[in-house]
Amino acid sequence: MRSRPPPNLRSIASSSRPSRHPPVPLRISPLPILSPSTLPTFRDSYFNPTLPCIFPPSHFTSTLPAISQWFIPHPKFPHLRAPNTQFFHKTLGDRINAPLLMEVSLHSEGKFLQNYTPFAKLLEDISFAGPRDRSITTYLAQCPINEIPELMDTLPTPQYIHAGKGDIYNVNLWMGHAALIVTPLHKDPNPNLFVQLAGTKRIRLFEPATGRGIMQRFGGGVKRFRMPDEMMDGKHKGILEKVVWGEDEAEDEAEDGVPGFEATVGPGDGLFIPKGWWHAVRSVGEDGAVASVNWWFR
């Protein structure tokens, strides 16, 4: 049986026309923490029931070498992270100049363009901190890690992938400057284990019926965005941003608001996003390197 949207979203779901001023109060709750952090608990309490959770703080720090090897404190701003260029040059060699398909942000025009850009250029862009001209900046979005095979050993498969069949659909790398990290509301084709490598992100999640109602009313209909063009620059992006994130934190506490969940993740933190759950992502702060990895698995 198909689940129905909550009562306060049924009127929203009845229309597919976008609203210029979407009055959607939210009721945002923190994600539950996996405890104890064992594979059987994860499988029985979250994976099989298709419920999201967050892992204990810094849970993946000791098991993913990428967290300590890829990034170092910024030399001028120690509270920020910068890429460990010495590590990347040593590990990648000449392939550090190999072109990868990236997003090039044109801040003056408020949009992204796809372009093949050397990995070295990305490292240069995310090494900067402080005031500067950011009219053009690169962002590595949803890059399959097998396109940079030299880095795969630093991202061993977490044990939680074996909660299901153990099949990995894809391992994706997300890496860019904090000022660029915004991913509008969408859902994934498979269960998603998401781990933060550097910087900090906020993720908001909505269960399938709720997210479907939001998309039908404000997102131009329910569909899986083609990544990255429609996800990054779709005509409904601005409206969805206001609906999902609101303009005032008080809007997140409405008793009769649309229910959702939120997690804030830093280096070594991770969360589980079940298949079909809608989620949006943004960085915390506007400076420094931000990076994540996710496993789509079954």
Side-chain angles (χ1 to χ4, degrees):
M1 179 181 296
R2 178 175 294 181
S3 58
R4 301 178 64 194
N8 49 6
L9 264 180
R10 288 175 190 159
S11 60
I12 294 176
S14 66
S15 172
S16 61
R17 293 180 301 171
S19 170
R20 294 181 61 187
H21 303 287
V24 182
L26 302 175
R27 187 175 76 252
I28 302 299
S29 303
L31 278 179
I33 300 174
L34 175 66
S35 180
S37 53
T38 63
L39 177 58
T41 302
F42 172 69
R43 178 191 296 117
D44 297 340
S45 299
Y46 298 102
F47 182 80
N48 287 340
T50 63
L51 296 173
C53 69
I54 190 169
F55 293 84
S58 304
H59 182 71
F60 295 94
T61 300
S62 62
T63 57
L64 295 181
I67 296 171
S68 60
Q69 295 181 12
W70 291 16
F71 299 95
I72 58 175
H74 194 281
K76 293 184 178 179
F77 306 95
H79 64 288
L80 301 175
R81 305 299 285 175
N84 184 350
T85 54
Q86 182 177 0
F87 165 82
F88 284 112
H89 277 279
K90 180 179 179 180
T91 303
L92 299 180
D94 292 340
R95 273 183 45 79
I96 199 168
N97 292 309
L100 295 170
L101 186 60
M102 300 192 195
E103 306 309 303
V104 178
S105 171
L106 304 179
H107 276 249
S108 59
E109 300 180 24
K111 64 180 181 180
F112 284 83
L113 297 177
Q114 285 188 294
N115 191 29
Y116 281 93
T117 305
F119 189 74
K121 177 63 168 63
L122 172 69
L123 298 180
E124 177 185 345
D125 280 351
I126 65 177
S127 294
F128 280 96
R132 70 185 183 99
D133 178 12
R134 293 188 184 134
S135 59
I136 299 179
T137 309
T138 51
Y139 174 38
L140 188 65
Q142 197 176 310
C143 174
I145 193 62
N146 57 16
E147 292 190 12
I148 320 175
E150 296 87 349
L151 300 179
M152 294 177 67
D153 287 346
T154 62
L155 292 170
T157 303
Q159 62 168 328
Y160 304 101
I161 299 302
H162 300 288
K165 298 179 180 179
D167 296 335
I168 298 177
Y169 175 72
N170 214 346
V171 183
N172 301 305
L173 179 62
W174 310 75
M175 196 169 174
H177 194 279
L180 298 180
I181 309 301
V182 176
T183 304
L185 190 67
H186 67 287
K187 61 179 180 177
D188 294 331
N190 288 284
N192 181 349
L193 178 61
F194 178 99
V195 178
Q196 190 72 359
L197 303 177
T200 305
K201 288 182 178 179
R202 290 173 64 196
I203 300 96
R204 283 201 168 174
L205 302 93
F206 300 91
E207 58 95 14
T210 302
R212 185 163 54 247
I214 293 174
M215 290 299 296
Q216 287 177 336
R217 181 65 179 92
F218 303 111
V222 176
K223 63 180 178 180
R224 179 171 171 264
F225 281 102
R226 293 196 306 271
M227 182 65 192
D229 50 359
E230 290 186 22
M231 183 182 287
M232 304 302 291
D233 290 315
K235 63 182 180 179
H236 301 283
K237 176 184 173 183
I239 297 173
L240 284 173
E241 285 289 294
K242 291 182 179 180
V243 172
V244 171
W245 297 104
E247 297 179 349
D248 188 330
E249 289 188 3
E251 297 176 359
D252 298 345
E253 301 175 0
E255 291 185 3
D256 60 345
V258 174
F261 294 90
E262 179 172 309
T264 299
V265 291
D269 298 340
L271 70 151
F272 170 62
I273 305 172
K275 178 181 178 180
W277 277 67
W278 296 82
H279 52 286
V281 184
R282 59 168 45 178
S283 65
V284 175
E286 296 186 354
D287 232 332
V290 178
S292 312
V293 62
N294 80 279
W295 286 262
W296 282 337
F297 66 104
R298 292 175 280 210

